[in-house]
Amino acid sequence: MLYFAEFFFFFFYFKMIIFNYSYFFSWTMMNSSFSVTFPLYFDFISCMFMSMVLLISGSIIFYSYFYMDSEIYKTRFFFLMLLFVVSMIFLILCPNFFCMLLGWDGLGLISYCLVIYYQNFKSFSSGMITALTNRVGDVFILASIAMFFSMGSWSYMNYVFSLNLTWLSIFFLIASLTKSAQIPFSAWLPAAMAAPTPVSSLVHSSTLVTAGVYIMIRFNYFLSENLKFFLLFISLLTMVMSGISGVFEYDLKKIIALSTLSQLGFMMTSISLNLSNLAFFHLVTHASFKALLFMCAGMFIHNFFDNQDIRFFGLMNKNFSFSLSMFNVANLSLCGFPFLSGFFSKDLILELFLLKKVNTLFFVLIFLGTFLTVFYTFRLIYFLSLKNPFYYPLEISNKKLGIEYSMGFLFLFSIFLGFFGSLFFFFPYNYVVLPITLKVLVLVLCFFSIFFCIIFSSSLFCFNSKISLFLGQMWFLYFLKTDFLKFPFFNFSFKVSKSLNGFSELFFGFYLYKYLFFISSVSNKYLKSLFSFFFFMFLYFFFVFIFMNL
């Protein structure tokens, strides 16, 4: 069903991009003193993103059929996944702030339910930081809806040429920063890795974390030049911070999560440079290979008895040749390897960045982030493919073949999507004239990154513990996840519940039960008598009516 809907939206996307038109539907549910409408907007952006979301969702649900086969509550899991996709559909198709809130808030609520799926203390703490951080963005969306009461409409399509939207643009910028986990709201993204791997694949490719980028693509004309400068600085810092943390990380899922954070910062950088269409292009290509990365990583973890430490992996081409090939293709596409999907969007954004008027600090930050992206990408390839493994138990199951079938579409998209996208839809940007030194700068930077990655991965470096702790813990942003959140919320509520335990049982247990029992017994007697009274009155008027008609 999801694959069929994906082809349907993909057909409409071709039709709209060729003939350059869009559809706007408005369903009026109430039209009295004021009208209540439910609008839907279909253009090439919404149809393309919808088709990508449905393609990835169908592949992941097919993947989950094998991956979650031994789980007890897998029916609940599939319903939550479908609700997650429906919330994203509301967010994509609704051009109305109030209707869009259904999808925005639904993503936050269902993500909490999915993160705590395994129901242990780590999952609960990770779910709490995810829910509370996303609530910050929900508050700012609600504040922007309240501002629109004085403007006559909740549809953002009516305010394209308005100039008095400074506070509204600030609210939407903060909301998108929280949803896309930019600094200082980055702690929840690696924490959400406590969810099952299919959830991580869906969240990091096309649903939860991409919602903030999608909103910024839609509302980029709201942002002033000062806000774009602020967004550029924040996104570049996020890109560098996540890249450094990925270099020091050994958890396979967290490395891929930090790569998502780096790519989100790269998309926000593109939006701040007025390249929102290229940010959307990179968002679509990134969705295909990021979902494939998580699905391959989940299969490796599943077959290594839930081990996620990459130091135990190695020479996986002996037992996982096809899966490792798909993983390496997606990984190379992530770092912008030539002629894969990520290259056509990423290299184009970097070259157009060189044409912009930016200062030296931003120039150093974006190329440092690119250097680190190539670094942790080839570090993963080295640990999984080239080095000798530690001895660890391995399970080769019959589910492996079905899991590999579910990745077929995404594997093809990771190779060909960028080429066809740039060929048909983004051709005005395909010819960027630069001096030869700037043209080969990215290529030389990548070669240096690969060289230092091999030296760093194959040798034992001793760092100062404080420096490595600062660099590996996302510049101490994990403090928000552990100490800060644990003390005021968890410990305080636990102590209050323990101190009021006997009091609450006495007054809210025994006495409340006696009071409710008394109320129910009295109301039961009166209701019986009242029912008898109304029954006899009905019979009386019924016979009087019949007698009068006779």
Side-chain angles (χ1 to χ4, degrees):
M1 182 185 69
L2 292 173
Y3 280 147
F4 176 76
E6 182 265 331
F7 284 115
F8 176 78
F9 277 102
F10 203 63
F11 170 75
F12 268 96
Y13 166 68
F14 270 106
K15 191 175 179 182
M16 289 173 184
I17 198 70
I18 292 172
F19 295 104
N20 194 20
Y21 65 87
S22 57
Y23 290 107
F24 181 81
F25 298 98
S26 182
W27 174 32
T28 303
M29 292 181 284
M30 187 171 67
N31 195 5
S32 55
S33 59
F34 66 97
S35 61
V36 177
T37 60
F38 189 84
L40 295 173
Y41 182 58
F42 296 89
D43 64 339
F44 78 96
I45 292 179
S46 59
C47 286
M48 182 62 195
F49 199 44
M50 272 287 299
S51 63
M52 206 65 206
V53 168
L54 292 171
L55 170 70
I56 293 172
S57 304
S59 300
I60 291 173
I61 288 176
F62 183 39
Y63 171 87
S64 303
Y65 176 77
F66 300 98
Y67 189 85
M68 308 292 288
D69 185 50
S70 58
E71 297 292 332
I72 301 175
Y73 303 110
K74 60 181 178 182
T75 305
R76 178 194 304 174
F77 174 80
F78 284 115
F79 274 110
L80 285 173
M81 292 283 279
L82 288 174
L83 286 174
F84 206 54
V85 176
V86 169
S87 299
M88 194 65 194
I89 291 172
F90 274 113
L91 182 67
I92 294 171
L93 295 182
C94 294
N96 186 298
F97 290 115
F98 197 79
C99 300
M100 188 186 69
L101 184 66
L102 295 174
W104 186 275
D105 219 356
L107 287 173
L109 176 63
I110 300 168
S111 66
Y112 173 75
C113 298
L114 288 170
V115 170
I116 65 169
Y117 177 80
Y118 286 128
Q119 299 184 11
N120 51 48
F121 183 77
K122 181 183 176 182
S123 298
F124 286 139
S125 59
S126 301
M128 188 58 67
I129 184 63
T130 302
L132 291 178
T133 309
N134 283 289
R135 287 308 294 171
V136 175
D138 298 341
V139 167
F140 282 100
I141 293 290
L142 288 169
S144 63
I145 289 174
M147 288 184 64
F148 269 83
F149 270 109
S150 61
M151 297 185 182
S153 175
W154 280 328
S155 178
Y156 63 79
M157 299 177 66
N158 298 331
Y159 302 101
V160 176
F161 302 107
S162 181
L163 299 177
N164 251 340
L165 296 172
T166 305
W167 283 104
L168 183 71
S169 58
I170 292 173
F171 287 168
F172 265 92
L173 178 61
I174 298 174
S176 65
L177 291 181
T178 58
K179 194 68 81 172
S180 292
Q182 303 295 295
I183 287 178
F185 307 106
S186 304
W188 71 267
L189 191 64
M193 290 298 100
T197 305
V199 177
S200 303
S201 181
L202 189 60
V203 163
H204 287 255
S205 60
S206 58
T207 50
L208 183 63
V209 297
T210 59
V213 179
Y214 180 79
I215 290 300
M216 278 292 99
I217 291 171
R218 284 295 196 190
F219 302 122
N220 66 89
Y221 53 83
F222 283 171
L223 299 179
S224 63
E225 291 301 320
N226 292 330
L227 286 178
K228 286 181 180 177
F229 182 83
F230 171 75
L231 179 61
L232 177 62
F233 181 65
I234 290 295
S235 58
L236 288 176
L237 279 183
T238 306
M239 189 176 173
V240 173
M241 179 267 295
S242 57
I244 294 174
S245 301
V247 168
F248 284 88
E249 186 61 60
Y250 287 100
D251 190 315
L252 179 58
K253 285 179 67 175
K254 283 189 178 180
I255 292 173
I256 303 175
L258 290 168
S259 72
T260 304
L261 191 54
S262 175
Q263 297 305 305
L264 291 172
F266 191 69
M267 295 173 205
M268 288 292 192
T269 301
S270 180
I271 293 170
S272 62
L273 295 173
N274 296 321
L275 301 172
S276 57
N277 51 353
L278 285 181
F280 175 69
F281 183 32
H282 189 60
L283 178 66
V284 171
T285 56
H286 171 264
S288 60
F289 55 75
K290 186 49 62 73
L292 182 61
L293 267 177
F294 268 108
M295 291 163 79
C296 294
M299 194 185 72
F300 297 156
I301 293 167
H302 196 65
N303 288 309
F304 272 82
F305 292 94
D306 298 330
N307 171 56
Q308 297 181 196
D309 197 328
I310 60 174
R311 289 171 290 190
F312 288 100
F313 297 160
L315 296 179
M316 299 184 66
N317 53 329
K318 304 296 182 182
N319 298 312
F320 302 96
S321 55
F322 183 60
S323 302
L324 187 64
S325 301
M326 290 193 288
F327 182 86
N328 286 337
V329 165
N331 213 2
L332 291 172
S333 184
L334 171 68
C335 73
F337 193 80
F339 311 118
L340 294 177
S341 287
F343 167 76
F344 290 94
S345 56
K346 196 167 186 178
D347 188 68
L348 201 53
I349 293 172
L350 286 173
E351 290 187 350
L352 289 173
F353 176 84
L354 293 173
L355 295 176
K356 299 289 182 178
K357 295 180 180 179
V358 293
N359 56 33
T360 309
L361 175 63
F362 292 165
F363 180 86
V364 171
L365 285 177
I366 193 168
F367 282 100
L368 179 60
T370 307
F371 176 87
L372 292 168
T373 303
V374 179
F375 196 104
Y376 61 68
T377 297
F378 277 88
R379 179 171 173 262
L380 263 183
I381 293 174
Y382 174 81
F383 272 92
L384 269 63
S385 305
L386 302 178
K387 89 173 179 58
N388 291 322
F390 286 94
Y391 292 103
Y392 202 85
L394 177 66
E395 176 192 17
I396 304 297
S397 63
N398 294 327
K399 303 180 224 177
K400 180 172 173 284
L401 191 61
I403 289 176
E404 288 177 345
Y405 282 153
S406 65
M407 306 177 194
F409 275 122
L410 299 178
F411 180 56
L412 295 175
F413 272 67
S414 299
I415 300 174
F416 299 112
L417 181 62
F419 170 72
F420 287 109
S422 63
L423 185 64
F424 291 111
F425 315 125
F426 298 96
F427 55 88
Y429 295 113
N430 282 353
Y431 304 100
V432 181
V433 180
L434 286 171
I436 187 65
T437 53
L438 294 179
K439 199 72 173 177
V440 300
L441 175 63
V442 180
L443 188 62
V444 172
L445 195 71
C446 293
F447 278 123
F448 271 106
S449 180
I450 296 169
F451 174 72
F452 284 113
C453 170
I454 294 172
I455 296 176
F456 180 83
S457 301
S458 59
S459 305
L460 293 176
F461 283 91
C462 296
F463 292 97
N464 188 351
S465 60
K466 293 182 180 179
I467 296 175
S468 60
L469 184 65
F470 173 74
L471 295 176
Q473 295 292 319
M474 298 175 64
W475 298 354
F476 292 145
L477 285 177
Y478 275 139
F479 169 76
L480 295 174
K481 175 193 167 187
T482 54
D483 300 331
F484 174 74
L485 199 67
K486 182 180 176 182
F487 173 71
F489 293 102
F490 296 152
N491 288 352
F492 178 73
S493 60
F494 178 72
K495 290 176 182 177
V496 169
S497 64
K498 289 291 286 185
S499 60
L500 297 179
N501 194 12
F503 176 81
S504 59
E505 283 185 2
L506 179 63
F507 286 94
F508 296 101
F510 179 70
Y511 288 116
L512 185 63
Y513 167 75
K514 289 185 66 176
Y515 176 73
L516 291 176
F517 181 78
F518 172 74
I519 293 295
S520 63
S521 60
V522 172
S523 61
N524 192 23
K525 291 179 182 179
Y526 278 103
L527 282 175
K528 284 182 179 179
S529 59
L530 196 63
F531 177 76
S532 303
F533 172 74
F534 278 113
F535 180 72
F536 285 115
M537 290 295 294
F538 171 76
L539 290 178
Y540 172 74
F541 283 109
F542 179 74
F543 285 117
V544 168
F545 177 75
I546 292 177
F547 179 75
M548 293 295 292
N549 283 324
L550 289 176

